[in-house]
Amino acid sequence: MMSLPDFVCPADGTRVRAGSLAWCCPVCRGPLDLDFHPTPTDLKALAGRVNSLWRYAGSLPLAAPEVSLGEGRTPLVELTETITAKLDFLMPTLSFKDRGAVLLAELARRLAPERVVADSSGNAGTAVAAYTARAGLDCTVYVPATTSPKKLEQIRAHGAHIEAVPGDREATALAARAAADEPGTFYASHVHNPYFLHGTKTYVLELWEDLGGRLPDVLVVPVGNGTLLLGAALALRELHSAGQIGRFPALYGVQSAAVAPVAAAWAEGAADLPAEPYPARPTYAEGIAIPRPPRARQILAAVRQFGGGFLTVPDPAIASAQRDLAARGLFVETTAAVCWAAVRGGRFGERSVAVPLCGAGVKSGVVPEPRWA
C-alpha cells in the first residue's frame, strides 16, 4: 500500500494512512481528501494511448486497473453555436458515475475487504455494483425505497444485494454509514471517498484534450453531492498548476429549485450550509435532490474560486428540457436535463459553454404526468 497516497481531512488536517478502510475523518467524521498532487500529461504525449479515461493514468491515484470496462472518452455534440454537450450517458452503466466507480472498485480490489457497501439514489449504486462485480467483490447497495425500478433492476443484474431504506436520501446514507462502520467493510462512497473525485476529474481532462488544449468559457454541471463539480475543480487546479491552461473557465452549479440547499447558501453569501435542515421536496431531478451534501463547504469554495455561481431550475423547465433533448436525438433522464434547462435560453450570451448529459433516459423513462403542484 506504500504506492497509495494518504488521506487528509480538509476540515481539520487529520491524516489517515493509505490502505485504511476508514471512510471518514476519525475526529470530525467528515469526508476525506487525498494528499495527491499530480502533473497532467502534456497534450501531445496523450496521442496513441488507451481510448478510455485511463489514458490519464499519470493524473490518477491508481494505475494499471484490472476492473476497467472502457469507461470515459465520451463524445461532444453541439447543441447550439455556443453550447456543447458531453454525452456521459454513453458510459458502460449509462451514467457519468462510472468515472469514479471504477477507481473505487479498483481500490477495493487492492484492499481486499470482506464486503463492499454503497448508498445511492440509483446511478452511483449501479456503477459500483457493475465494477465490484468486475472485481469479484461482494457488494450491498443501500437505496431509497422510492428508487426507480429500472435502476434497481440494473443493480440486481450485476449481482449486488439491495437494501431499500424507508425515507429520503439522507436516511439511506445514514443506514449505509452504519454498515460501513462494521469491521472488514469498504464503503464505496461517491461522496466521502476522494478516489471518486479523482475519477470524475477526467470529465474536464477529456474536454481539455478534445478541444485541443483549451476549455470553454463556462462549465455548467449539476450539483447534488457535488462530485462532478469537485472533480472538475481538481482538474482545473492541476491543469493550471502545470501551465496547461492559461485561464480558468467560470464554474457554475445547477440545482433543482425544489431541493437547492447549496444554491440557497450561495445566495446568502455563506461559506457552508446553515445548521437547520433544508426541506426535502419531490422533484423530477431525484438524482441531485440532496438536502445536506457533506462536501457543501468545498462546493461553495470551488465555485467562488472559479468565478461562477449557482442556477436553479423548476420542475416544468426540467421536463421541457428533457423533451427538447429527446427531440434532438438525446434521450436522457430528467436529472441529466437540468443543465440544459439552465442554459438553453441564452443565459451566457456569446460565451462558449459545456454541459454534461449525465444519465440515460432508459434508466427512469419519460417524465410522467405531474404528481404535485
Side-chain angles (χ1 to χ4, degrees):
M1 299 305 164
M2 296 301 293
S3 62
L4 299 177
D6 286 348
F7 298 98
V8 61
C9 176
D12 57 34
T14 300
R15 297 184 74 84
V16 176
R17 297 298 297 173
S20 170
L21 290 177
W23 61 268
C24 65
C25 172
V27 177
C28 71
R29 299 282 287 182
L32 296 166
D33 286 345
L34 278 185
D35 188 6
F36 178 67
H37 310 282
T39 298
T41 303
D42 181 79
L43 190 65
K44 293 181 180 179
L46 293 171
R49 292 196 177 189
V50 61
N51 193 37
S52 74
L53 64 78
W54 293 97
R55 67 197 285 108
Y56 313 109
S59 296
L60 299 176
L62 296 169
E66 293 188 9
V67 299
S68 176
L69 293 169
E71 56 286 332
R73 300 296 290 151
T74 54
L76 299 174
V77 171
E78 285 188 0
L79 297 178
T80 71
E81 290 186 359
T82 58
I83 302 174
T84 302
K86 188 161 175 58
L87 310 190
D88 262 22
F89 68 91
L90 298 181
M91 291 282 192
T93 76
L94 307 182
S95 90
F96 87 98
K97 296 290 177 62
D98 290 4
R99 294 187 182 276
V102 65
L103 269 77
L104 294 184
E106 179 63 24
L107 177 62
R109 185 190 67 79
R110 298 184 188 194
L111 298 179
E114 295 175 21
R115 69 194 66 84
V116 175
V117 300
D119 61 284
S120 169
S121 58
N123 286 340
T126 297
V128 169
Y131 284 94
T132 52
R134 181 79 166 176
L137 297 170
D138 181 79
C139 179
T140 298
V141 181
Y142 289 74
V143 300
T146 55
T147 298
S148 161
K150 293 184 179 181
K151 292 180 180 179
L152 296 179
E153 184 178 0
Q154 268 194 298
I155 294 171
R156 288 193 184 98
H158 296 303
H161 314 287
I162 291 177
E163 288 285 346
V165 180
D168 60 13
R169 184 67 181 79
E170 183 63 20
T172 304
L174 291 174
R177 291 169 198 166
D181 285 330
E182 294 295 322
T185 302
F186 178 89
Y187 184 22
S189 172
H190 59 292
V191 183
H192 283 77
N193 195 309
Y195 278 82
F196 194 93
L197 305 182
H198 283 272
T200 61
K201 77 182 179 185
T202 60
Y203 170 83
V204 166
L205 295 179
E206 289 178 17
L207 276 176
W208 166 75
E209 181 183 1
D210 289 343
L211 294 176
R214 61 181 181 84
L215 288 169
D217 299 321
V218 183
L219 298 177
V220 180
V221 297
V223 171
N225 278 307
T227 56
L228 185 53
L229 186 144
L230 292 173
L234 281 173
L236 293 177
R237 296 183 190 111
E238 292 171 10
L239 287 168
H240 189 265
S241 294
Q244 304 283 20
I245 55 173
R247 60 166 182 82
F248 289 127
L251 184 58
Y252 280 77
V254 182
Q255 295 202 293
S256 165
V259 185
V262 190
W266 174 266
E268 294 294 326
D272 203 348
L273 300 183
E276 58 271 15
Y278 190 92
R281 304 182 183 93
T283 175
Y284 288 140
E286 64 179 6
I288 56 171
I290 310 297
R292 194 165 190 85
R295 293 187 184 268
R297 175 178 286 272
Q298 290 178 287
I299 296 167
L300 289 161
V303 170
R304 287 194 174 91
Q305 178 183 1
F306 298 113
F310 281 88
L311 310 171
T312 60
V313 288
D315 270 43
I318 295 171
S320 175
Q322 186 199 35
R323 291 192 296 268
D324 182 71
L325 287 167
R328 297 166 183 262
L330 302 167
F331 183 34
V332 301
E333 62 180 330
T334 44
T335 300
V338 296
C339 290
W340 179 232
V343 305
R344 67 175 175 146
R347 182 185 299 270
F348 293 105
E350 296 302 311
R351 287 190 286 174
S352 58
V353 181
V355 298
L357 300 183
C358 294
V362 295
K363 285 175 170 283
S364 54
V366 180
V367 170
E369 291 298 319
R371 293 165 291 174
W372 53 84

Coordinates of all heavy atoms in Angstrom, one line a residue, residues 207-281:
L207 N -12.5 17.1 -21.9 CA -12.8 18.3 -22.6 C -11.6 19.0 -23.0 O -11.5 19.5 -24.2 CB -13.6 19.2 -21.6 CG -15.1 19.0 -21.4 CD1 -15.7 19.9 -20.4 CD2 -15.9 19.2 -22.7
W208 N -10.7 19.2 -22.2 CA -9.4 19.9 -22.5 C -8.7 19.2 -23.6 O -8.2 19.9 -24.6 CB -8.5 19.9 -21.2 CG -7.1 20.3 -21.4 CD1 -6.6 21.5 -21.6 CD2 -6.0 19.4 -21.4 NE1 -5.3 21.5 -21.8 CE2 -4.8 20.2 -21.6 CE3 -5.8 18.0 -21.3 CZ2 -3.5 19.7 -21.7 CZ3 -4.6 17.5 -21.3 CH2 -3.4 18.3 -21.5
E209 N -8.6 17.9 -23.7 CA -7.9 17.2 -24.8 C -8.7 17.4 -26.1 O -8.1 17.7 -27.1 CB -7.7 15.8 -24.4 CG -7.0 15.0 -25.5 CD -6.8 13.5 -25.3 OE1 -7.3 13.0 -24.3 OE2 -6.2 12.9 -26.2
D210 N -10.0 17.1 -26.0 CA -10.8 17.1 -27.2 C -10.9 18.5 -27.8 O -11.2 18.7 -29.0 CB -12.2 16.5 -27.0 CG -12.1 15.0 -26.7 OD1 -11.1 14.4 -27.1 OD2 -13.1 14.5 -26.2
L211 N -10.8 19.6 -27.0 CA -10.8 20.9 -27.5 C -9.4 21.5 -27.8 O -9.2 22.7 -28.0 CB -11.6 21.8 -26.5 CG -13.0 21.5 -26.3 CD1 -13.6 22.4 -25.2 CD2 -13.8 21.7 -27.6
G212 N -8.5 20.6 -28.0 CA -7.1 21.0 -28.4 C -6.3 21.7 -27.4 O -5.5 22.6 -27.7
G213 N -6.5 21.4 -26.1 CA -5.7 22.0 -25.0 C -6.3 23.3 -24.5 O -5.6 24.1 -23.9
R214 N -7.6 23.5 -24.7 CA -8.3 24.7 -24.1 C -9.6 24.2 -23.5 O -10.0 23.0 -23.6 CB -8.6 25.7 -25.2 CG -9.5 25.2 -26.3 CD -9.7 26.3 -27.4 NE -10.6 25.8 -28.4 CZ -11.9 25.7 -28.4 NH1 -12.5 26.2 -27.3 NH2 -12.7 25.3 -29.4
L215 N -10.3 25.1 -22.9 CA -11.6 24.8 -22.2 C -12.6 25.8 -22.6 O -12.2 27.0 -23.0 CB -11.4 24.7 -20.7 CG -10.7 23.5 -20.2 CD1 -10.3 23.6 -18.7 CD2 -11.5 22.2 -20.4
P216 N -13.9 25.5 -22.5 CA -14.9 26.5 -22.8 C -14.8 27.7 -21.8 O -14.2 27.6 -20.7 CB -16.2 25.7 -22.6 CG -15.8 24.3 -22.7 CD -14.5 24.2 -22.2
D217 N -15.5 28.7 -22.1 CA -15.5 29.9 -21.2 C -16.3 29.5 -19.9 O -15.9 30.1 -18.8 CB -16.2 31.1 -21.8 CG -15.5 31.6 -23.1 OD1 -14.3 31.6 -23.1 OD2 -16.2 31.9 -24.1
V218 N -17.3 28.7 -20.0 CA -18.1 28.3 -18.9 C -18.3 26.8 -18.8 O -18.6 26.2 -19.8 CB -19.5 29.0 -19.0 CG1 -20.3 28.8 -17.7 CG2 -19.3 30.5 -19.2
L219 N -18.2 26.3 -17.6 CA -18.5 24.9 -17.3 C -19.7 24.9 -16.4 O -19.7 25.5 -15.3 CB -17.4 24.2 -16.6 CG -16.0 24.0 -17.4 CD1 -15.0 23.3 -16.5 CD2 -16.2 23.2 -18.7
V220 N -20.8 24.2 -16.8 CA -22.0 24.1 -16.1 C -22.3 22.7 -15.7 O -22.4 21.8 -16.6 CB -23.2 24.7 -16.9 CG1 -24.5 24.6 -16.0 CG2 -22.9 26.2 -17.2
V221 N -22.4 22.4 -14.4 CA -22.6 21.0 -14.0 C -23.7 20.9 -13.0 O -24.0 21.8 -12.2 CB -21.3 20.4 -13.4 CG1 -20.2 20.3 -14.4 CG2 -20.9 21.2 -12.2
P222 N -24.4 19.7 -12.9 CA -25.4 19.5 -11.9 C -24.8 19.3 -10.5 O -23.7 18.8 -10.4 CB -26.1 18.3 -12.4 CG -25.1 17.5 -13.1 CD -24.3 18.5 -13.8
V223 N -25.5 19.7 -9.5 CA -24.9 19.6 -8.1 C -26.0 19.0 -7.2 O -27.1 19.5 -7.0 CB -24.5 21.0 -7.5 CG1 -24.2 20.8 -6.1 CG2 -23.3 21.5 -8.3
G224 N -25.7 17.8 -6.7 CA -26.4 17.1 -5.6 C -25.4 17.0 -4.5 O -25.4 17.9 -3.6
N225 N -24.6 16.0 -4.5 CA -23.5 15.9 -3.6 C -22.2 16.6 -4.2 O -21.2 16.7 -3.5 CB -23.2 14.4 -3.4 CG -24.0 13.8 -2.3 OD1 -24.2 14.3 -1.2 ND2 -24.7 12.7 -2.6
G226 N -22.3 17.0 -5.4 CA -21.2 17.8 -6.0 C -20.0 17.1 -6.5 O -18.9 17.7 -6.7
T227 N -20.1 15.8 -6.7 CA -18.9 15.0 -7.1 C -18.4 15.4 -8.4 O -17.2 15.4 -8.6 CB -19.2 13.5 -7.0 OG1 -20.3 13.2 -7.9 CG2 -19.5 13.1 -5.6
L228 N -19.2 15.8 -9.4 CA -18.7 16.2 -10.7 C -18.1 17.6 -10.6 O -17.0 17.8 -11.2 CB -19.8 16.1 -11.7 CG -19.4 16.4 -13.2 CD1 -18.2 15.5 -13.6 CD2 -20.6 16.3 -14.1
L229 N -18.7 18.5 -9.9 CA -18.2 19.8 -9.7 C -16.8 19.8 -9.0 O -15.9 20.4 -9.4 CB -19.2 20.7 -9.0 CG -18.8 22.2 -8.9 CD1 -20.0 23.1 -8.9 CD2 -18.0 22.4 -7.5
L230 N -16.7 19.0 -8.0 CA -15.4 19.0 -7.2 C -14.4 18.3 -8.0 O -13.2 18.6 -7.9 CB -15.7 18.3 -5.9 CG -16.5 19.1 -4.9 CD1 -16.8 18.2 -3.6 CD2 -15.8 20.4 -4.5
G231 N -14.7 17.2 -8.8 CA -13.8 16.6 -9.7 C -13.3 17.6 -10.8 O -12.1 17.7 -11.1
A232 N -14.2 18.4 -11.3 CA -13.8 19.4 -12.3 C -12.9 20.4 -11.7 O -11.9 20.9 -12.3 CB -15.1 20.1 -12.8
A233 N -13.1 20.8 -10.4 CA -12.2 21.8 -9.7 C -10.8 21.2 -9.6 O -9.8 21.9 -9.7 CB -12.8 22.2 -8.4
L234 N -10.7 19.9 -9.2 CA -9.4 19.3 -9.1 C -8.7 19.4 -10.5 O -7.5 19.7 -10.5 CB -9.6 17.8 -8.7 CG -9.9 17.4 -7.3 CD1 -10.1 15.9 -7.2 CD2 -8.7 17.8 -6.4
A235 N -9.4 19.0 -11.5 CA -8.7 19.1 -12.9 C -8.3 20.5 -13.2 O -7.2 20.7 -13.8 CB -9.7 18.5 -13.9
L236 N -9.1 21.5 -12.9 CA -8.8 22.8 -13.3 C -7.5 23.3 -12.5 O -6.6 23.9 -13.1 CB -9.9 23.8 -13.0 CG -11.2 23.6 -13.8 CD1 -12.3 24.5 -13.4 CD2 -10.9 23.8 -15.3
R237 N -7.4 23.0 -11.3 CA -6.2 23.3 -10.5 C -5.0 22.6 -11.0 O -3.9 23.3 -11.1 CB -6.5 23.0 -9.0 CG -7.6 23.8 -8.4 CD -7.7 23.5 -6.9 NE -8.9 24.0 -6.3 CZ -10.0 23.3 -5.9 NH1 -9.9 22.0 -5.9 NH2 -11.0 23.9 -5.4
E238 N -5.1 21.4 -11.3 CA -4.0 20.6 -11.8 C -3.5 21.1 -13.2 O -2.3 21.3 -13.4 CB -4.3 19.1 -11.9 CG -4.5 18.5 -10.5 CD -5.0 17.1 -10.5 OE1 -5.1 16.5 -11.6 OE2 -5.4 16.6 -9.4
L239 N -4.4 21.4 -14.1 CA -4.1 21.8 -15.4 C -3.4 23.2 -15.3 O -2.4 23.5 -16.0 CB -5.3 21.9 -16.3 CG -5.9 20.6 -16.8 CD1 -7.3 20.8 -17.4 CD2 -4.9 19.9 -17.8
H240 N -4.0 24.1 -14.5 CA -3.4 25.4 -14.4 C -2.0 25.4 -13.7 O -1.1 26.1 -14.2 CB -4.4 26.3 -13.6 CG -4.0 27.8 -13.6 ND1 -3.2 28.3 -12.6 CD2 -4.3 28.7 -14.5 CE1 -3.1 29.6 -12.8 NE2 -3.7 29.9 -14.0
S241 N -1.9 24.6 -12.7 CA -0.5 24.5 -12.0 C 0.5 24.0 -12.9 O 1.7 24.4 -12.8 CB -0.6 23.6 -10.8 OG -1.5 24.1 -9.8
A242 N 0.1 23.1 -13.9 CA 1.1 22.6 -14.8 C 1.3 23.5 -16.1 O 2.1 23.1 -17.0 CB 0.6 21.2 -15.3
G243 N 0.6 24.6 -16.1 CA 0.7 25.5 -17.2 C 0.0 25.0 -18.5 O 0.3 25.5 -19.6
Q244 N -0.9 24.1 -18.3 CA -1.6 23.5 -19.5 C -2.8 24.4 -19.9 O -3.3 24.3 -21.0 CB -2.1 22.1 -19.2 CG -1.0 21.1 -18.7 CD -0.2 20.6 -19.9 OE1 -0.1 21.3 -20.9 NE2 0.5 19.5 -19.7
I245 N -3.3 25.2 -19.0 CA -4.3 26.2 -19.3 C -3.9 27.6 -18.8 O -3.3 27.6 -17.7 CB -5.7 25.9 -18.8 CG1 -5.7 25.6 -17.3 CG2 -6.3 24.7 -19.6 CD1 -7.1 25.4 -16.7
G246 N -4.2 28.6 -19.5 CA -3.7 29.9 -19.0 C -4.8 30.7 -18.2 O -4.5 31.7 -17.5
R247 N -6.0 30.3 -18.3 CA -7.1 30.9 -17.6 C -8.1 29.9 -17.1 O -8.1 28.7 -17.6 CB -7.8 31.9 -18.4 CG -8.5 31.3 -19.7 CD -9.4 32.1 -20.4 NE -10.0 31.4 -21.5 CZ -11.0 30.6 -21.4 NH1 -11.6 30.3 -20.2 NH2 -11.5 30.0 -22.5
F248 N -8.9 30.2 -16.1 CA -9.9 29.3 -15.6 C -11.2 29.6 -16.3 O -11.6 30.8 -16.4 CB -10.1 29.5 -14.1 CG -8.9 28.9 -13.3 CD1 -8.3 29.7 -12.3 CD2 -8.5 27.6 -13.4 CE1 -7.3 29.2 -11.5 CE2 -7.5 27.1 -12.6 CZ -6.9 27.9 -11.7
P249 N -12.0 28.6 -16.7 CA -13.4 28.8 -17.0 C -14.2 29.1 -15.8 O -13.8 28.8 -14.7 CB -13.8 27.5 -17.7 CG -12.9 26.5 -17.0 CD -11.6 27.2 -16.8
A250 N -15.3 29.8 -16.0 CA -16.2 30.0 -14.8 C -16.9 28.7 -14.6 O -17.4 28.0 -15.5 CB -17.2 31.1 -15.2
L251 N -17.1 28.4 -13.3 CA -17.7 27.1 -12.9 C -19.0 27.3 -12.2 O -19.1 28.0 -11.2 CB -16.7 26.4 -12.0 CG -17.1 25.0 -11.5 CD1 -17.3 24.0 -12.7 CD2 -16.1 24.4 -10.5
Y252 N -20.1 26.8 -12.9 CA -21.5 27.0 -12.3 C -22.1 25.7 -11.9 O -21.9 24.7 -12.6 CB -22.4 27.7 -13.4 CG -22.2 29.2 -13.5 CD1 -21.1 29.7 -14.2 CD2 -23.1 30.0 -12.9 CE1 -20.9 31.1 -14.3 CE2 -22.9 31.4 -13.0 CZ -21.8 31.9 -13.7 OH -21.7 33.3 -13.8
G253 N -22.8 25.7 -10.8 CA -23.6 24.5 -10.4 C -25.1 24.7 -10.6 O -25.5 25.9 -10.5
V254 N -25.8 23.7 -10.9 CA -27.2 23.7 -11.2 C -27.9 22.8 -10.2 O -27.5 21.7 -10.0 CB -27.6 23.3 -12.6 CG1 -29.1 23.5 -12.8 CG2 -26.8 24.2 -13.6
Q255 N -29.0 23.3 -9.5 CA -29.8 22.5 -8.7 C -31.3 22.7 -9.0 O -31.7 23.6 -9.6 CB -29.6 22.9 -7.2 CG -28.2 22.7 -6.7 CD -28.1 22.6 -5.2 OE1 -28.3 23.6 -4.5 NE2 -27.8 21.4 -4.7
S256 N -32.0 21.6 -8.7 CA -33.5 21.8 -8.8 C -34.0 22.8 -7.9 O -33.6 22.9 -6.7 CB -34.1 20.4 -8.5 OG -35.5 20.6 -8.3
A257 N -34.9 23.6 -8.3 CA -35.5 24.7 -7.4 C -36.2 24.1 -6.2 O -36.3 24.7 -5.2 CB -36.5 25.5 -8.2
A258 N -36.6 22.8 -6.4 CA -37.3 22.2 -5.2 C -36.4 21.7 -4.1 O -36.8 21.7 -3.0 CB -38.1 20.9 -5.8
V259 N -35.1 21.4 -4.5 CA -34.1 21.0 -3.5 C -32.8 21.7 -3.8 O -32.0 21.2 -4.6 CB -34.0 19.5 -3.4 CG1 -33.0 19.1 -2.3 CG2 -35.3 18.8 -3.2
A260 N -32.6 22.9 -3.3 CA -31.4 23.7 -3.7 C -30.7 24.2 -2.4 O -30.5 25.4 -2.3 CB -31.9 24.8 -4.6
P261 N -30.2 23.4 -1.6 CA -29.6 23.9 -0.3 C -28.3 24.6 -0.6 O -28.0 25.6 0.1 CB -29.3 22.6 0.5 CG -29.2 21.5 -0.6 CD -30.2 21.9 -1.6
V262 N -27.5 24.2 -1.6 CA -26.2 24.9 -1.8 C -26.5 26.2 -2.5 O -25.8 27.2 -2.2 CB -25.3 24.0 -2.6 CG1 -23.9 24.6 -2.7 CG2 -25.2 22.6 -2.0
A263 N -27.4 26.2 -3.5 CA -27.7 27.5 -4.1 C -28.3 28.5 -3.2 O -28.0 29.7 -3.2 CB -28.8 27.2 -5.3
A264 N -29.1 28.0 -2.2 CA -29.6 28.9 -1.2 C -28.5 29.5 -0.3 O -28.5 30.7 0.0 CB -30.6 28.2 -0.3
A265 N -27.5 28.7 0.1 CA -26.4 29.1 0.9 C -25.6 30.1 0.1 O -25.1 31.1 0.6 CB -25.5 28.0 1.3
W266 N -25.4 29.9 -1.2 CA -24.7 30.8 -2.1 C -25.4 32.1 -2.2 O -24.7 33.2 -2.1 CB -24.6 30.2 -3.5 CG -24.0 31.1 -4.5 CD1 -24.6 31.9 -5.4 CD2 -22.6 31.2 -4.8 NE1 -23.7 32.6 -6.2 CE2 -22.4 32.2 -5.8 CE3 -21.4 30.7 -4.3 CZ2 -21.2 32.6 -6.3 CZ3 -20.2 31.1 -4.8 CH2 -20.1 32.0 -5.8
A267 N -26.7 32.1 -2.3 CA -27.4 33.4 -2.4 C -27.3 34.2 -1.1 O -27.3 35.4 -1.2 CB -28.9 33.1 -2.6
E268 N -27.0 33.5 0.0 CA -26.9 34.2 1.3 C -25.4 34.6 1.5 O -25.1 35.3 2.5 CB -27.3 33.3 2.4 CG -28.8 33.0 2.5 CD -29.6 34.2 2.7 OE1 -29.2 35.1 3.5 OE2 -30.7 34.3 2.2
G269 N -24.5 34.3 0.6 CA -23.1 34.6 0.8 C -22.4 33.8 1.8 O -21.4 34.1 2.4
A270 N -23.0 32.6 2.2 CA -22.5 31.8 3.2 C -21.4 30.9 2.8 O -21.3 30.5 1.6 CB -23.6 30.9 3.8
A271 N -20.5 30.5 3.7 CA -19.4 29.6 3.4 C -19.8 28.1 3.5 O -19.0 27.2 3.1 CB -18.2 29.9 4.3
D272 N -20.9 27.9 4.2 CA -21.4 26.5 4.4 C -22.9 26.5 4.6 O -23.5 27.6 4.6 CB -20.7 25.9 5.7 CG -20.6 24.4 5.7 OD1 -21.3 23.8 4.9 OD2 -20.0 23.9 6.6
L273 N -23.5 25.3 4.7 CA -24.9 25.2 4.9 C -25.3 25.7 6.3 O -24.5 25.5 7.2 CB -25.4 23.8 4.6 CG -25.1 23.2 3.3 CD1 -25.7 21.8 3.2 CD2 -25.7 24.1 2.2
P274 N -26.4 26.2 6.5 CA -26.9 26.5 7.9 C -27.1 25.2 8.7 O -27.3 24.1 8.1 CB -28.2 27.3 7.7 CG -28.7 26.8 6.3 CD -27.4 26.6 5.5
A275 N -27.2 25.4 10.0 CA -27.4 24.2 10.9 C -28.8 23.6 10.7 O -28.9 22.4 10.8 CB -27.2 24.6 12.3
E276 N -29.8 24.4 10.4 CA -31.2 23.9 10.3 C -31.3 23.1 9.0 O -30.7 23.4 8.0 CB -32.2 25.0 10.4 CG -32.1 26.1 9.3 CD -31.2 27.2 9.7 OE1 -30.4 27.0 10.7 OE2 -31.2 28.3 9.0
P277 N -32.0 22.0 9.1 CA -32.2 21.1 7.9 C -32.9 21.8 6.8 O -33.8 22.6 7.0 CB -32.9 19.9 8.4 CG -33.6 20.4 9.6 CD -32.8 21.4 10.2
Y278 N -32.5 21.5 5.5 CA -33.2 22.0 4.3 C -34.4 21.1 4.0 O -34.2 19.8 4.0 CB -32.2 22.1 3.2 CG -32.8 22.8 2.0 CD1 -32.5 24.2 1.8 CD2 -33.5 22.1 1.0 CE1 -33.0 24.8 0.7 CE2 -34.0 22.8 -0.1 CZ -33.8 24.2 -0.3 OH -34.2 24.8 -1.4
P279 N -35.5 21.6 3.7 CA -36.7 20.7 3.4 C -36.5 19.9 2.2 O -36.0 20.4 1.1 CB -37.9 21.6 3.3 CG -37.2 23.0 2.9 CD -35.9 23.0 3.6
A280 N -36.8 18.6 2.2 CA -36.7 17.7 1.0 C -38.1 17.7 0.4 O -39.0 17.2 0.9 CB -36.2 16.3 1.4
R281 N -38.2 18.2 -0.9 CA -39.4 18.2 -1.6 C -39.3 17.3 -2.8 O -38.2 17.0 -3.3 CB -39.7 19.6 -2.1 CG -39.8 20.6 -1.0 CD -40.2 22.0 -1.5 NE -40.2 23.0 -0.5 CZ -39.2 23.8 -0.2 NH1 -38.0 23.7 -0.9 NH2 -39.3 24.8 0.7

